[in-house]
Amino acid sequence: MTKPRRGLGMGLDALFDASSIEVEGGRLRMVPLSAIEPNKDQPRREFDEEKLQQLADSISRYGVLQPLLVRDMGNGRYQLLAGERRWRAARLAGLTELPVQLKELEDQGVLEVALIENLQREDLNPMEQAGGYRRLMDEFSLTQEEVAARVGRSRSAVANTLRLLSLPKTIQDMVQEGALSEGHGRALVGLDESVSLPLALQACEQGLSVRQLERLASAAAKAGREGESPAPEPAKDLYARQLGEALSGRLGRRVQLRPGAKKGRIEIEYYDNQDLCALLEQLGLPVEL
């Protein structure tokens, strides 16, 4: 008999294959809906109300076809690990109890499962995906390759989505709200906010395609480089820009390399002290004060 796999492998199937789930008495357990509480660290923040109502209508007709995954918190309470959309839709449908499967996990495992379960879905917006990838990397010390393996995507897809986190907050909001696509957002990565924000607004107002925005962004970047004084050597400037873009994708945050005549500098964006510590850990440079 094959030994059950433990820990994280290729996404939720590896976490919860049939051999690793222990179902009491070999059957699903029905528990009161009111006894199930959502995970406060749930990475998914937005739920489409129209799609939620459609799911509720389906549940009203056919019931909950896939059990929710929960852990027993004691005193008749359960914490939701996977299936919050079904839980919300069941409430809309007026159900009073739901089928669940129990899983024993530590607090860290709960967050990891919630992240992976959501990232394997197709209806997350790009910023939710990027934020989920970043949390997996920062909180569980995973590489981009390991994140890609867990969520069932290619490393390049994960890297490209992470690049969105280096955009200014205003443009990130545009991507999250659907005003700009992920492709539009990636076209603006690496540009100064004074350049990228007007281009983002122009793309929204004029309905520009990703290809059109890429051409405008490329022209703006070129004009900016040609207007610098003193102008860096073209080859050096091109290398610095390409390397900065590659590092932005690798780190999931804005990175700029500024070459000079005798010396240059690297600028890496961070948001607060906690984010700075996470960056230092990522670079292999943890510092204890």
Side-chain angles (χ1 to χ4, degrees), residues 21-181:
I21 299 177
E22 296 180 2
V23 181
E24 187 176 63
R27 299 176 59 189
L28 299 178
R29 174 184 293 189
M30 298 295 296
V31 303
L33 185 148
S34 59
I36 302 173
E37 56 188 53
N39 179 6
K40 61 182 178 60
D41 291 323
Q42 154 75 274
R44 185 184 183 88
R45 299 302 181 191
E46 297 183 2
F47 294 85
D48 186 294
E49 293 299 328
E50 182 178 352
K51 292 182 178 179
L52 206 58
Q53 186 59 58
Q54 292 174 353
L55 181 57
D57 293 341
S58 175
I59 287 176
S60 295
R61 177 173 296 185
Y62 303 109
V64 178
L65 302 181
Q66 182 181 2
L68 283 63
L69 193 66
V70 302
R71 68 167 174 167
D72 193 339
M73 304 296 290
N75 299 319
R77 305 295 298 175
Y78 301 88
Q79 184 180 48
L80 193 58
L81 303 181
E84 183 166 345
R85 284 186 72 252
R86 277 166 279 151
W87 179 77
R88 287 172 176 261
R91 285 196 306 173
L92 287 176
L95 270 62
T96 58
E97 60 178 7
L98 296 172
V100 303
Q101 287 183 331
L102 298 179
K103 184 68 179 177
E104 297 299 326
L105 288 174
E106 299 297 329
D107 289 341
Q108 186 181 42
V110 170
L111 175 57
E112 195 164 4
V113 168
L115 281 166
I116 293 173
E117 193 266 345
N118 277 279
L119 289 168
Q120 287 180 329
R121 301 187 61 83
E122 297 296 330
D123 55 353
L124 290 182
N125 70 60
M127 296 314 307
E128 286 177 325
Q129 293 178 22
Y133 296 156
R134 170 53 53 201
R135 289 186 71 181
L136 282 174
M137 294 173 67
D138 290 347
E139 299 183 31
F140 303 103
S141 301
L142 301 180
T143 65
Q144 289 185 9
E145 290 82 359
E146 290 169 333
V147 169
R150 280 157 174 73
V151 301
R153 288 175 170 79
S154 67
R155 191 207 65 79
S156 61
V158 170
N160 283 332
T161 301
L162 280 168
R163 296 176 66 200
L164 298 176
L165 296 176
S166 65
L167 291 168
K169 181 63 167 58
T170 302
I171 299 180
Q172 289 189 34
D173 290 342
M174 292 180 183
V175 175
Q176 178 156 334
E177 294 164 2
L180 294 176
S181 71

